[in-house]
Amino acid sequence: ADPLTKQLDIDFGRDVASRNLKGLATRSDGRILPGPVFTDLTGPRIGDILWVMKPAGPDKFLVGTGPDGKVQEVTFNPKDSSYTVREVADVAETQAIALLPLKDGAFLIGTSPTGALYLFKDGKPLARVPLPADSVFDFLLQPDGSVLAATGNPGRIYRLDLKKLASAGLIEGKAGDDQLLADKGVTLFGEIRDRNVRRLARLADGRVLAGSSPKGNIYSFDAIGGSPLVLQENRDAEVVDLLPVDDGSFYAALVFTTESTSRLNRPVDPKAADNKEKPPVIEEKPGFTGRSSVVRFPVDGFPEGVLSRPNVALYRLARHNGWLVLTAGELGDTFGYDPVARRSLTFAGSASSQLNDIAPL
């Protein structure tokens, strides 16, 4: 007879779905630690795609959505883990990818597939300035009150004078020449040799970091702009997030793909246009076959790889209780890294397929 007891070796980094860890975290050395709990919030539907979430006050967040190009204000109620939604902006473009709340209650919106800058306040558009680009991916508020905007196709960074932008008015159509943009408060800060500037961050000494795609290069600009310094070159990669640290170092999250893989995998419908009588056949794309890595860039020294995950696409980095928190897809995974113990962590995951953003309460 077979014995009643069986032994099975489990690799917590591969064999256990993160969403099955309720209130626990597993460390790369096999240790089980207390971990976060994901709580699904109850409330109305916000949109098909939630691109970005930015804090806009106590328990309030701005959420950029697609494909309807709307910005929703979400108010969180901690008593019963619920939320309410109020639409605060609706743009002509299909995707509201970048958001930046301002101190006076206004906020900036960056759109795609037409790269346009919007300034909204009290639910009304104060300005729309189209840029000579396909997408606006990220914003970075500068100490002098100006804002940097990262664009794609071409990969550029623009400096925004908010006072001039507020009086720019609503410009329809495509962007004008450089002089027209300068009159509206938009000037060139710098550009890169890759197609898209995906992420921006600022170091403690004032330097501006930029991460690109589809090569995945990491650049450093002086505080006044100009030509960048290439900190790291990659191939077939996307810099999905940059996280500065108080000591002057920073972390970069990169997703490496091939031409046949995509970080955003969705069902395709090849027969929907041809077959109108029968239900369309949905072909599921294969899971993500690339890899993700987190690299630490010290103040003095060479870049150091601290974490790598196969078949997982990272989306965001954040700091929490001394840990590095990483949100990912395609199974709503959440990972971590302990810089002191130099151990990777697997946290409980969410029921979503992709965690596009994370924001502190």
Side-chain angles (χ1 to χ4, degrees):
D2 289 335
L4 298 178
T5 302
K6 293 185 178 181
Q7 179 175 330
L8 177 65
D9 293 330
I10 297 177
D11 182 351
F12 278 104
R14 296 175 181 266
D15 300 332
V16 177
S18 63
R19 66 182 61 184
N20 294 335
L21 299 171
K22 301 299 184 182
L24 297 175
T26 61
R27 208 166 67 178
S28 56
D29 61 350
R31 191 77 59 89
I32 296 180
L33 308 172
V37 177
F38 274 78
T39 302
D40 290 329
L41 307 183
T42 57
R45 183 172 174 273
I46 301 176
D48 289 342
I49 306 173
L50 310 183
W51 286 111
V52 60
M53 178 171 58
K54 296 293 185 181
D59 292 330
K60 287 188 178 182
F61 303 88
L62 294 181
V63 179
T65 71
D68 297 325
K70 297 180 184 294
V71 177
Q72 309 282 7
E73 182 187 77
V74 176
T75 302
F76 170 63
N77 185 1
K79 293 182 180 180
D80 56 359
S81 295
S82 64
Y83 66 87
T84 57
V85 176
R86 181 173 68 95
E87 184 179 310
V88 293
D90 186 0
V91 298
E93 292 74 20
T94 57
Q95 311 292 344
I97 294 182
L99 286 176
L100 180 64
L102 303 174
K103 292 182 179 180
D104 60 355
F107 57 92
L108 286 168
I109 307 174
T111 65
S112 180
T114 299
L117 298 169
Y118 285 86
L119 181 62
F120 268 78
K121 188 174 184 180
D122 298 328
K124 298 179 180 179
L126 300 181
R128 179 191 186 270
V129 177
L131 300 179
D134 288 348
S135 303
V136 179
F137 287 119
D138 203 7
F139 290 121
L140 179 64
L141 182 63
Q142 293 288 76
D144 61 0
S146 64
V147 175
L148 300 182
T151 68
N153 198 24
R156 294 175 178 174
I157 303 173
Y158 289 92
R159 186 193 299 273
L160 311 181
D161 186 328
L162 295 181
K163 292 183 179 180
K164 290 185 178 181
L165 186 65
S167 59
L170 302 179
I171 303 176
E172 301 295 334
K174 297 182 179 180
D177 55 21
D178 293 342
Q179 185 58 49
L180 175 61
L181 291 176
D183 293 339
K184 304 302 181 182
V186 180
T187 55
L188 185 64
F189 176 85
E191 56 185 323
I192 64 174
R193 62 189 184 190
D194 204 356
R195 192 163 69 238
N196 304 302
V197 179
R198 294 294 283 115
R199 286 285 165 247
L200 295 175
R202 186 177 61 254
L203 295 176
D205 59 6
R207 287 181 297 157
V208 174
L209 301 173
S212 76
S213 71
K215 292 184 178 180
N217 299 334
I218 300 176
Y219 304 84
S220 170
F221 289 86
D222 289 336
I224 59 174
S227 299
L229 174 69
V230 181
L231 301 182
Q232 188 180 59
E233 287 188 299
N234 294 293
R235 292 179 60 188
D236 299 325
E238 176 182 349
V239 180
V240 295
D241 211 358
L242 298 166
L243 182 65
V245 185
D246 294 337
D247 62 2
S249 63
F250 70 94
Y251 292 93
L254 298 98
V255 177
F256 293 85
T257 61
T258 62
E259 294 182 356
S260 60
T261 62
S262 172
R263 194 166 62 93
L264 296 172
N265 282 328
R266 298 187 183 89
V268 295
D269 184 3
K271 300 182 180 180
D274 300 331
N275 191 347
K276 298 182 179 179
E277 296 180 358
K278 297 180 180 180
V281 178
I282 302 297
E283 294 183 3
E284 290 284 350
K285 288 186 178 182
F288 181 75
T289 57
R291 63 181 176 89
S292 295
S293 65
V294 177
V295 182
R296 178 179 177 268
F297 289 76
V299 179
D300 297 315
F302 293 103
E304 170 192 2
V306 299
L307 184 144
S308 181
R309 294 277 182 173
N311 303 325
V312 169
L314 296 178
Y315 286 81
R316 283 291 186 271
L317 299 180
R319 295 297 296 270
H320 180 65
N321 292 338
W323 285 342
L324 194 66
V325 180
L326 303 86
T327 66
E330 304 298 315
L331 297 175
D333 298 305
T334 310
F335 304 109
Y337 178 73
D338 187 342
V340 177
R342 290 179 171 266
R343 300 280 188 181
S344 60
L345 300 149
T346 300
F347 295 143
S350 78
S352 305
S353 60
Q354 295 161 190
L355 293 172
N356 288 334
D357 208 352
I358 186 171
L361 287 170

